[in-house]
Amino acid sequence: MLTVQTELLTLNKIFEGGYQFSIPSYQRPYVWSDDDILLLFNDVKTACENGEEHYFIGTVLSSKLQSNTGLVYELIDGQQRTTTLMLIAIAFKAADVKSDLNELAVYMPETGKAMPRLQFAIRDQVQQLLGGLEGLKGYETPSQEVIDSNEYLKQIGIALKVLSEHIEALDKNEAEKLGQYFYSSVQWVNNIVPAKMDLNRLFATMNTAGVQLEQADILKAKLFKYIKTDKAQYDAMWVACEHLENYFERNVRKVFPDIDWNNIEPNDLAVFKAKTFYHPESQQQSDDESGYSIDELSQMLGSGKAPDSVKQKAFETYDLDVETTYCRSIIKFPLFLIHAYRVFLALNNESDIEPRLHSDRLLEIFNPLIESDEETVKAFIEMLWQVRYQFDAWVVKWVERDDSPEAHLGLTSQSPSQSKGKQYINRSSKETNALALLQSVRNFTGERSAQYWITPFIAKLIKKEISLKQGNKALKQLEIIDNLMSLATCSQKKASFKQANLIKPKRLKWEEQKEYFTEAKGTGFEHYWFQKLEYLLWKKIDSARSKLETGELNKFTKFRITSKNSVEHVHPQNDEYKSKLADEILNAFGNLVLLSPGENSSYSNQDVDKKQIDFERKQHFDSLKLREMFIQKSNNSWDQEEIETHQNRMLDVLETHYGDKE
């Protein structure tokens, strides 16, 4: 009988055990974006800072093969994570960080020459890149031009660039500690299948083995064991909230199809009203669902027989022919549940959750509620409904329309719509506005796996009863939240929950924060401050948009705050004409701009004048800070005086916004 073996791996075990990995030819190229990479990197960094014993990154599937260099694990599933870990090891070594990671990416067979530990079948250029970066004999690093143009190398090159910048931004002790944490404490499960196993049959089995039991399903079952009355009603409320891939009002219509929707306005959904959303089965009591063990739930779901408390009854069959705007949430349902729970705690004057915000810790976070009673669980689900309404009303989503395949972070408005004699609530995209852009700043910076700002924002929307027509009030509250969190001296978790309770966290005065920008930090400057400047510059330009020429207006209209993870030196570090600046000027905030890795690569080490020409030829603005630089520079040289002038101007923009305002 063919059996699957399972083992728990760390990078330490890989090195000590002499593991080598192979990516088979049928696997796709390395495709993790810089966002994906930094999400993992920063999440592990936070776990390290919090003193967590281990950080688990999931499972991989492999098969043992024998080669002339020894035993090789061929990666059937999990090559993206494994490749990322090897790239992290290479980046730490390149940054001269003292760590056991330094030799990890190299495999030394008992006989023969050193080679990359991660091998790519039939992709010699990837092998050359990995071996060349490690300085191995017989390997040559491809040119930057080749890396940028090769589909198998491009994302690897981007990954190494952003990882190197983030590692170099750490101080010596912090970097060494993090390197050792990656080496010893990051864990994953390696499922090893026999080499003779039919992989087609294996994948078919994996894809048809029933519904996967998620933590949110387990949580729901544990909470619903308390509910003895109106169970169907609360189940419908939960289902309406859990589907983040659709707008709330559409979900509500699916689970409450029989109410008088012709007389329902958007704000009628703000709070659940039992009289409005009466469920015909709400008084039925299910004595046979007093609660299941995790093992029982797993077996039931695996056989396709889910209990009512985790079923999704015919939810996917509903279709609405007037839908024109589609959405994708910036967070997934487990994290949404955590934010809803924090809002629930704040509005009931309870203490914050103990663990850090992470979807993987959902059951641990909810343990106090799991051990509560029917009244408390029902109150939470009613709050969940309110949070979901506010979330869809005020929090940005990845929005796309029928007439455009390109998604962007944005907000939508609601309006009545007629279809086949029935009235619906329809969605349409709003123009880019300050509220969407400030949320974009928050979404793309900080601890992105937590999105701490969501808790106080929604709590304040509910407490202050901000209506759908009060966009300026919503923006004012978010600016206060953002300002206080950006200057807070306590953790972002504490700062966010204090504000959910309308308490201001301890923070720096602006004059103290201003000192931060006088240091020549280079790529070590926090990305938040670049993105915050983009927001403030947008507001400044928007207030005078009538003065923009047509070409400038078209570019400005297209502007969005997007994910950017690469700091560019406008006066290059290695100028093509050998022009030199002192390091303290070269690495000053006034000479730096935040770009995407692709934008950064396109400018490369070009002379400033060439960068300016390229910037002005584009049909959009890569960065509003860069626009300010080139307007100021005009036909002058970009020298120390210009850099210092620009830096002072940008600090004036920040100071005008912050000052020492409360």
Side-chain angles (χ1 to χ4, degrees):
M1 180 179 177
L2 298 178
T3 59
V4 177
Q5 297 176 305
T6 298
E7 62 180 351
L8 187 66
L9 290 182
T10 64
L11 294 178
N12 183 5
K13 186 172 181 178
I14 283 174
F15 183 77
E16 296 294 339
Y19 284 62
Q20 18 174 2
F21 296 98
S22 173
I23 309 295
S25 58
Y26 60 79
Q27 291 279 20
R28 61 181 177 168
Y30 181 70
V31 295
W32 267 26
S33 69
D34 48 319
D35 282 344
D36 297 325
I37 295 156
L38 292 180
L39 186 61
L40 173 63
F41 180 86
N42 288 324
D43 219 27
V44 173
K45 179 172 172 283
T46 300
C48 176
E49 291 169 347
N50 290 344
E52 295 178 21
E53 187 175 358
H54 302 293
Y55 183 91
F56 184 68
I57 62 170
T59 63
V60 302
L61 192 66
S62 68
S63 177
K64 290 181 180 179
L65 302 175
Q66 194 64 42
S67 75
N68 56 7
T69 60
L71 190 64
V72 178
Y73 290 80
E74 183 178 65
L75 289 170
I76 300 166
D77 182 50
Q79 70 121 327
Q80 303 290 323
R81 274 165 294 167
T82 306
T83 303
T84 302
L85 289 174
M86 292 299 158
L87 296 178
I88 287 171
I90 291 172
F92 267 94
K93 182 178 180 179
D96 291 326
V97 177
K98 185 180 179 182
S99 166
D100 288 333
L101 282 176
N102 287 358
E103 304 305 320
L104 178 76
V106 176
Y107 175 73
M108 180 64 72
E110 292 183 6
T111 59
K113 62 181 183 179
M115 59 191 297
R117 189 177 300 276
L118 181 64
Q119 298 143 32
F120 287 75
I122 73 169
R123 296 175 189 165
D124 183 61
Q125 284 182 309
V126 179
Q127 291 297 100
Q128 290 294 324
L129 175 59
L130 297 180
L133 290 169
E134 288 294 312
L136 299 182
K137 188 176 181 180
Y139 293 87
E140 185 175 347
T141 306
S143 68
Q144 190 62 50
E145 184 179 357
V146 169
I147 292 173
D148 291 342
S149 61
N150 186 298
E151 64 172 328
Y152 293 105
L153 301 180
K154 184 176 181 179
Q155 287 305 122
I156 292 177
I158 288 172
L160 288 168
K161 179 176 177 58
V162 297
L163 285 169
S164 295
E165 286 187 3
H166 279 70
I167 293 167
E168 289 167 4
L170 304 173
D171 66 42
K172 181 176 180 290
N173 291 335
E174 187 181 18
E176 290 178 359
K177 181 180 177 182
L178 180 58
Q180 288 305 117
Y181 190 86
F182 267 107
Y183 186 73
S184 303
S185 300
V186 172
Q187 299 179 332
W188 68 100
V189 171
N190 182 25
N191 294 312
I192 309 165
V193 301
K196 295 181 180 179
M197 181 171 280
D198 184 340
L199 294 183
N200 290 328
R201 184 177 178 183
L202 173 65
F203 284 127
T205 302
M206 291 169 63
N207 292 332
T208 59
V211 181
Q212 185 177 359
L213 189 63
E214 303 285 353
Q215 284 198 60
D217 299 321
I218 299 170
L219 174 63
K220 182 182 178 185
K222 285 178 174 289
L223 294 178
F224 270 71
K225 73 180 181 181
Y226 290 107
I227 300 179
K228 305 302 181 185
T229 59
D230 301 326
K231 195 163 195 169
Q233 171 186 296
Y234 283 93
D235 178 70
M237 293 167 67
W238 182 286
V239 171
C241 293
E242 75 177 323
H243 287 271
L244 298 179
E245 75 281 1
N246 208 351
Y247 288 107
F248 182 51
E249 65 274 7
R250 295 174 186 171
N251 292 348
V252 174
R253 189 161 191 141
K254 289 176 183 180
V255 294
F256 294 102
D258 299 323
I259 66 172
D260 184 8
W261 280 96
N262 288 333
N263 291 309
I264 293 291
E265 298 293 332
N267 57 6
D268 292 332
L269 306 182
V271 178
F272 183 82
K273 299 170 186 174
K275 289 184 179 180
T276 303
F277 299 102
Y278 172 75
H279 198 289
E281 301 175 9
S282 63
Q283 298 302 318
Q284 295 181 9
Q285 182 171 335
S286 301
D287 294 328
D288 60 336
E289 290 184 23
S290 57
Y292 298 91
S293 69
I294 293 176
D295 184 58
E296 289 171 330
L297 279 169
S298 182
Q299 291 180 28
M300 294 175 76
L301 286 168
S303 65
K305 298 177 181 179
D308 287 343
S309 58
V310 296
K311 280 183 180 177
Q312 299 170 9
K313 301 176 182 177
F315 193 84
E316 294 80 8
T317 62
Y318 182 88
D319 188 30
L320 177 59
D321 61 3
V322 298
E323 290 183 331
T324 56
T325 301
Y326 308 91
C327 68
R328 176 164 50 88
S329 175
I330 60 172
I331 59 174
K332 295 184 179 179
F333 187 56
L335 186 58
F336 175 81
L337 281 169
I338 295 170
H339 281 291
Y341 188 36
R342 295 183 83 213
V343 172
F344 176 71
L345 293 172
L347 269 57
N348 284 282
N349 298 314
E350 300 285 347
S351 300
D352 194 10
I353 60 175
E354 287 294 328
R356 73 184 180 100
L357 271 71
H358 199 288
S359 298
D360 291 346
R361 306 183 74 168
L362 183 69
L363 295 177
E364 179 186 359
I365 287 168
F366 270 86
N367 194 57
L369 188 63
I370 291 170
E371 296 179 349
S372 63
D373 52 36
E374 180 176 13
E375 182 181 357
T376 307
V377 170
K378 283 183 173 180
F380 168 71
I381 296 172
E382 290 165 12
M383 179 59 67
L384 183 69
W385 177 286
Q386 290 188 59
V387 172
R388 180 60 205 270
Y389 170 82
Q390 299 292 347
F391 184 79
D392 275 29
W394 294 109
V395 176
V396 290
K397 299 183 187 303
W398 291 102
V399 176
E400 60 183 63
R401 293 180 53 82
D402 285 333
D403 55 4
S404 174
E406 184 177 340
H408 66 275
L409 278 185
L411 294 165
T412 56
S413 57
Q414 302 176 62
S415 59
S417 177
Q418 294 283 337
S419 178
K420 298 178 182 178
K422 296 181 180 180
Q423 183 165 307
Y424 298 91
I425 299 172
N426 199 24
R427 292 270 179 169
S428 56
S429 296
K430 290 183 178 180
E431 291 186 1
T432 302
N433 60 29
L435 183 60
L437 290 177
L438 184 53
Q439 291 185 51
S440 299
V441 172
R442 276 283 154 193
N443 179 64
F444 292 125
T445 59
E447 195 172 333
R448 294 180 61 179
S449 62
Q451 299 290 344
Y452 288 112
W453 61 275
I454 292 176
T455 295
F457 185 46
I458 291 182
K460 283 191 169 189
L461 290 169
I462 294 173
K463 280 186 176 182
K464 294 181 177 292
E465 299 181 346
I466 296 175
S467 72
L468 294 176
K469 296 181 179 180
Q470 294 178 305
N472 288 336
K473 284 189 176 181
L475 175 62
K476 180 181 178 181
Q477 292 306 316
L478 186 61
E479 284 195 338
I480 292 171
I481 291 167
D482 174 63
N483 287 351
L484 293 177
M485 288 183 68
S486 64
L487 299 177
T489 55
C490 59
S491 70
Q492 293 290 282
K493 180 173 176 284
K494 288 181 180 178
S496 64
F497 196 72
K498 280 181 178 291
Q499 291 198 75
N501 283 295
L502 304 184
I503 300 171
K504 293 175 181 176
K506 291 182 180 180
R507 59 204 180 278
L508 297 173
K509 291 184 177 293
W510 174 250
E511 285 302 317
E512 297 173 289
Q513 179 62 43
K514 191 175 179 180
E515 289 299 309
Y516 170 83
F517 298 96
T518 64
E519 302 175 38
K521 293 179 177 290
T523 58
F525 280 105
E526 291 179 42
H527 292 185
Y528 168 82
W529 294 108
F530 292 101
Q531 295 282 37
K532 183 64 173 286
L533 258 177
E534 295 292 303
Y535 166 72
L536 297 176
L537 291 172
W538 183 90
K539 286 184 70 178
K540 180 182 175 183
I541 298 169
D542 185 59
S543 66
R545 70 160 60 204
S546 61
K547 298 178 181 178
L548 293 175
E549 296 179 357
T550 302
E552 287 273 290
L553 180 59
N554 289 338
K555 292 182 181 182
F556 180 70
T557 303
K558 296 175 185 176
F559 180 77
R560 303 281 189 278
I561 289 176
T562 59
S563 175
K564 295 183 177 182
N565 296 308
S566 185
V567 175
E568 163 79 357
H569 291 75
V570 175
H571 187 293
Q573 294 168 291
N574 300 297
D575 185 84
E576 60 181 324
Y577 298 123
K578 310 302 179 185
S579 173
K580 291 287 185 180
L581 284 178
D583 283 350
E584 62 268 22
I585 302 302
L586 191 67
N587 291 309
F589 189 71
N591 187 46
L592 303 172
V593 64
L594 188 67
L595 301 172
S596 70
E599 292 164 345
N600 194 324
S601 179
S602 71
Y603 291 117
S604 189
N605 284 318
Q606 288 186 122
D607 173 76
V608 181
D609 289 338
K610 288 185 178 181
K611 290 180 180 180
Q612 183 174 359
I613 292 170
D614 286 351
F615 177 85
E616 292 172 351
R617 283 176 176 171
K618 293 186 178 183
Q619 298 303 306
H620 62 277
F621 293 133
D622 290 334
S623 159
L624 297 183
K625 185 175 187 290
L626 191 56
R627 174 181 179 269
E628 292 290 318
M629 287 175 164
F630 289 143
I631 288 175
Q632 175 192 315
K633 173 186 174 295
S634 186
N635 296 319
N636 300 323
S637 298
W638 188 248
D639 53 20
Q640 178 174 344
E641 182 179 351
E642 293 289 350
I643 290 169
E644 290 174 346
T645 299
H646 171 72
Q647 178 161 316
N648 290 333
R649 289 178 61 203
M650 294 301 97
L651 291 181
D652 286 345
V653 172
L654 287 166
E655 186 164 5
T656 298
H657 178 72
Y658 281 93
D660 281 324
K661 293 185 293 187
E662 290 296 306

